[in-house]
């Protein structure tokens, strides 16, 4: 490879087990009773009944396999989503009223949904640095949030960028090797800059003996240079499992987990320096987590919170970080004085891509209060990686053997599976990943425009996204850097989802 050749990335395979004739394994197993019934009818001479069973089974399987181009859902999946949403609205579970006049008994404004029963505390790591810790008792999860200050890729050599990507892959692989980490996420949030930081910086450095001209320039700088300038924030959430090794997998308790996380946190932060995250990565304190969570649910108070933090602190507590009101609609999420829409990735890049693939989707979008792009990671423990890649090879080979002529897509999947097994044997890690994109505006009138802009940005990255129908509140919360691991809250585990 020449020195000027760009490094490409790929080898992304969607989990799933294929059955007979390329059908999903779940569909293949569901058709077994249909085949048995058809054979019994033929044996008894009921040919008409056998034809009817074949027609009904083929129609049901065809509807399951046919997926819409726009969102990749079949008719059953859309029907279940619509039914669940109507049931939620009928019971009134889509509405949340907090505060003194709300339905919460103590009048607090807690974060709703999956984090309603969460706890937030603050501790110090092995070097004496404070960090906030979010505890979710239901899943036995403990989450720390890191704030990074990346420099970007402007005026950076391609060799340096390739090295940063490689170090990021090594950092992700280490999460699976260390064990105990069930999830991680990277959230890049863009919003209009309030201009308070620029104003404090310029006026704070103005000399008392400055001339009238200098003072006039200082007064005009924030007004001119803040026009339309974006504020970009990057946060990384790492979620640890508190489950013990005993049979009932009981929670080890906050004291044990605090000691473990405090010892591991400096190493996690130190290994991020070479990934392009910057050299100023730090753990967010409990007050930092409270303040940015409150701003996410009500972006109109962003400038007030920023000003209060500059003057000594907001004084908010974790029970005050949630919204006063929210309405979880089918494809909208109204919360306080804003409305959001969340899209979720349902198909990753099929081929190769470059390190700049996500640049456009990460850029600020005009006329949007806040836009968050969150990449969700679930590291696969190294003890399970070998068996998983071998299973992928067997699955890809079985799918190719169902036809006399193997398609190019099936050949590519088998080649990817073999390459993944080779790289895993050399020490590479396996990671499941997904993406959530949330756009927050003042009114819902902007969404017809965003429904075209956001998917087009994803298409440039060779991603396919769709609205989180009926799950807008959950998807909104999963897009926050608060450590929500959606798979741990699901009724179906990974193996069952792969079969279906």
């Amino acid at each position: 490879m020449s020195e000027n050749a760009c490094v490409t990335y790929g080898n992304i395979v969607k989990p799933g087990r294929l059955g007979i004739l390329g059908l999903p394994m779940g569909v293949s197993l569901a058709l077994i009773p249909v085949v048995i019934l058809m054979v019994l009818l033929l044996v008894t001479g009921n040919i008409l009944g056998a034809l009817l069973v074949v027609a009904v089974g083929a129609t049901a399987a065809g509807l399951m396999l046919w997926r819409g181009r726009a969102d990749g859902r079949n008719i059953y999946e859309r029907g279940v989503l619509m039914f669940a949403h109507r049931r939620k609205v009928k019971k009134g579970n889509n509405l949340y009223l907090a505060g003194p006049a709300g339905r919460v008994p103590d009048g607090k404004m807690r974060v709703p949904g999956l984090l309603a029963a969460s706890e937030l505390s603050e501790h110090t790591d092995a070097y004496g640095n404070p960090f906030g810790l979010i505890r979710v008792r239901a899943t036995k999860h403990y989450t720390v949030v890191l704030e990074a200050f990346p420099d970007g890729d402007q005026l950076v050599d391609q060799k340096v960028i390739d090295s940063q990507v490689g170090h990021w892959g090594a950092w992700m692989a280490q999460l699976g090797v260390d064990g105990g980490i069930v999830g991680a996420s990277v959230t890049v949030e863009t919003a209009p800059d309030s201009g308070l930081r620029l104003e404090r910086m310029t006026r704070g450095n103005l000399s008392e003996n400055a001339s009238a001209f200098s003072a006039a320039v200082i007064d005009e700088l924030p007004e001119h240079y803040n026009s339309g300038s974006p504020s970009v924030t990057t946060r990384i959430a790492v979620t640890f499992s508190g489950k013990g090794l005993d049979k009932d997998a009981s929670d080890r308790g906050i004291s044990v987990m605090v000691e473990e996380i405090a010892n591991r946190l400096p190493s996690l932060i130190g290994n991020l320096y070479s990934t392009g995250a910057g050299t100023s990565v730090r753990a967010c304190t409990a007050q930092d987590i409270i303040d940015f969570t409150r701003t996410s649910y009500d972006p109109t108070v962003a400038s007030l919170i920023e000003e209060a933090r500059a003057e000594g602190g907001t004084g908010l507590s974790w029970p005050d970080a949630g919204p006063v009101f929210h309405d979880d609609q089918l494809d909208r999420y109204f919360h306080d004085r804003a409305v959001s829409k969340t899209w979720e990735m349902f198909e990753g890049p099929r081929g190769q891509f470059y390190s700049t693939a996500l640049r456009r989707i990460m850029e600020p979008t005009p006329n949007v209060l806040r836009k968050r792009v969150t990449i969700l990671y679930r590291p696969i423990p190294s003890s399970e990686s070998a068996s998983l890649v071998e299973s992928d090879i067997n699955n890809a080979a079985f799918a190719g053997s169902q036809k006399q002529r193997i398609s190019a897509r099936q050949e590519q999947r088998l080649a990817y599976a073999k390459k993944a097994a080779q790289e895993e044997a050399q020490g590479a890690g396996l990671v499941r990943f997904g993406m959530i994109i949330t756009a927050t505006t003042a009114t819902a009138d902007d969404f017809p425009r965003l429904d075209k802009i956001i998917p087009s940005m994803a298409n440039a990255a060779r991603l396919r996204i769709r609205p989180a129908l009926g799950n807008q509140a959950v998807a909104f919360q999963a897009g926050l850097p608060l450590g929500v691991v959606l798979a741990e809250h699901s009724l179906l585990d990974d193996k069952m989802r792969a079969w279906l």
Side-chain angles (χ1 to χ4, degrees):
M1 184 177 64
S2 63
E3 295 183 358
N4 295 328
C6 293
V7 178
T8 57
Y9 305 90
N11 197 17
I12 296 176
V13 178
K14 186 176 182 179
R17 294 184 60 87
L18 297 181
I20 302 174
L21 299 178
L23 300 174
M25 185 62 71
V27 179
S28 299
L29 296 178
L31 289 178
I32 292 178
V34 177
V35 175
I36 295 176
L37 180 60
M38 179 192 68
V39 173
L40 292 177
L41 291 174
L42 289 176
V43 170
T44 58
N46 191 349
I47 300 178
L48 182 61
L51 292 176
L52 181 61
V53 170
V54 171
V56 173
T59 302
L63 292 176
M64 184 176 295
L65 294 176
W66 183 85
R67 297 179 179 273
R69 283 187 173 184
D71 59 5
R73 296 186 178 97
N74 59 39
I75 188 171
Y76 301 109
E77 292 171 336
R78 292 186 66 89
V80 170
L81 287 175
M82 297 296 182
F83 173 78
H85 179 72
R86 286 195 295 266
R87 186 178 180 183
K88 179 174 60 178
V89 172
K90 185 176 181 180
K91 291 184 176 181
N93 294 334
N94 63 312
L95 296 176
Y96 173 77
L97 298 175
R103 300 175 181 175
V104 181
D106 57 1
K108 299 293 185 180
M109 296 177 293
R110 287 183 171 82
V111 179
L114 300 178
L115 294 177
S118 61
E119 305 169 1
L120 178 64
S121 56
E122 185 166 313
H123 313 274
T124 55
D125 62 14
Y127 291 166
N129 299 316
F131 68 92
L133 184 65
I134 304 173
R135 181 189 186 186
V136 181
R137 290 179 178 268
T139 55
K140 306 177 182 66
H141 286 176
Y142 298 81
T143 301
V144 293
V145 184
L146 312 178
E147 186 170 7
F149 303 90
D151 299 326
D153 59 356
Q154 299 295 328
L155 301 178
V156 180
D157 293 339
Q158 187 62 40
K159 289 184 178 180
V160 177
I161 296 176
D162 297 337
S163 175
Q164 291 173 346
V165 175
H167 280 91
W168 173 253
W171 190 82
M172 293 300 304
Q174 191 63 35
L175 297 183
V177 173
D178 292 343
I181 296 179
V182 294
S185 67
V186 179
T187 302
V188 178
E189 185 178 61
T190 57
D193 199 323
S194 62
L196 295 176
R197 289 178 298 174
L198 178 61
E199 183 177 355
R200 289 196 304 269
M201 183 185 68
T202 54
R203 295 184 177 178
N205 293 325
L206 181 63
S207 173
E208 298 179 355
N209 301 324
S211 63
F213 175 77
S214 299
V217 171
I218 290 297
D219 289 337
E220 294 181 4
L221 275 176
E223 179 180 354
H224 286 80
Y225 284 91
N226 186 54
S227 178
S229 61
S231 173
V232 182
T233 307
T234 304
R235 296 186 177 95
I236 303 172
V238 182
T239 302
F240 297 80
S241 175
K243 296 180 181 179
L245 299 178
D246 49 351
K247 294 182 179 180
D248 59 352
S250 59
D251 195 342
R252 288 183 287 172
I254 190 169
S255 59
V256 176
M257 292 304 301
V258 165
E259 183 179 359
E260 176 182 339
I261 295 173
N263 292 328
R264 297 176 61 176
L265 193 55
S267 176
L268 287 173
I269 295 177
N271 292 335
L272 283 172
Y273 295 158
S274 301
T275 64
T279 57
S280 301
V281 182
R282 67 175 186 87
C284 292
T285 63
Q287 193 63 53
D288 295 335
I289 297 174
I290 294 170
D291 293 342
F292 75 67
T293 302
R294 183 71 192 102
T295 303
S296 300
Y297 279 101
D298 189 1
T300 60
V301 302
S303 58
L304 298 177
I305 288 180
E306 184 178 348
E307 186 174 357
R309 286 174 60 88
E311 296 176 355
T314 60
L316 296 174
S317 61
W318 185 237
D320 300 323
V324 179
F325 155 83
H326 88 198
D327 182 5
D328 184 14
Q329 297 189 1
L330 181 65
D331 62 347
R332 299 284 193 277
Y333 179 50
F334 292 86
H335 48 97
D336 285 355
R337 288 166 286 189
V339 56
S340 298
K341 183 171 183 177
T342 301
W343 294 261
E344 57 187 9
M345 184 193 80
F346 68 93
E347 186 174 317
R350 292 189 175 184
Q352 296 179 337
F353 54 93
Y354 301 96
S355 59
T356 58
L358 298 179
R359 175 182 294 173
R360 185 181 175 190
I361 203 170
M362 296 288 185
E363 293 176 348
T365 302
N367 300 323
V368 174
L369 291 179
R370 287 187 178 269
K371 187 184 77 172
R372 278 187 305 278
V373 180
T374 300
I375 306 177
L376 306 172
Y377 299 96
R378 281 197 296 141
I380 299 176
S382 56
S383 58
E384 303 176 8
S385 299
S387 59
L388 187 60
V389 295
E390 292 297 333
S391 177
D392 287 341
I393 292 177
N394 296 334
N395 191 32
F398 176 78
S401 65
Q402 299 299 306
K403 298 181 180 180
Q404 294 181 353
R405 184 177 180 181
I406 302 177
S407 65
R409 187 70 63 188
Q410 290 171 338
E411 289 182 351
Q412 185 185 51
R413 179 172 183 176
L414 181 58
Y416 279 172
K418 292 181 178 180
K419 186 177 180 181
Q422 180 182 3
E423 293 177 350
E424 191 277 334
Q426 296 174 354
L430 297 180
V431 179
R432 294 184 178 93
F433 77 97
M435 180 179 291
I436 292 178
I437 305 170
T438 301
T440 302
T441 61
T443 64
D445 297 337
D446 294 324
F447 286 117
R449 175 180 63 91
L450 294 176
D451 284 333
K452 298 180 180 180
I453 294 178
I454 301 297
S456 67
M457 292 180 177
N459 291 335
R462 307 187 68 180
L463 302 173
R464 298 187 65 187
I465 63 174
R466 62 189 178 193
L469 295 181
N471 293 295
Q472 285 290 319
V474 174
F476 177 90
Q477 194 170 94
L480 296 175
L482 298 177
V484 175
V485 183
L486 293 176
E488 298 290 332
H489 296 272
S490 176
L491 298 177
L492 302 178
D493 59 6
D494 293 329
K495 294 181 179 179
M496 183 61 68
R497 284 194 293 268
W499 279 65
L500 297 177

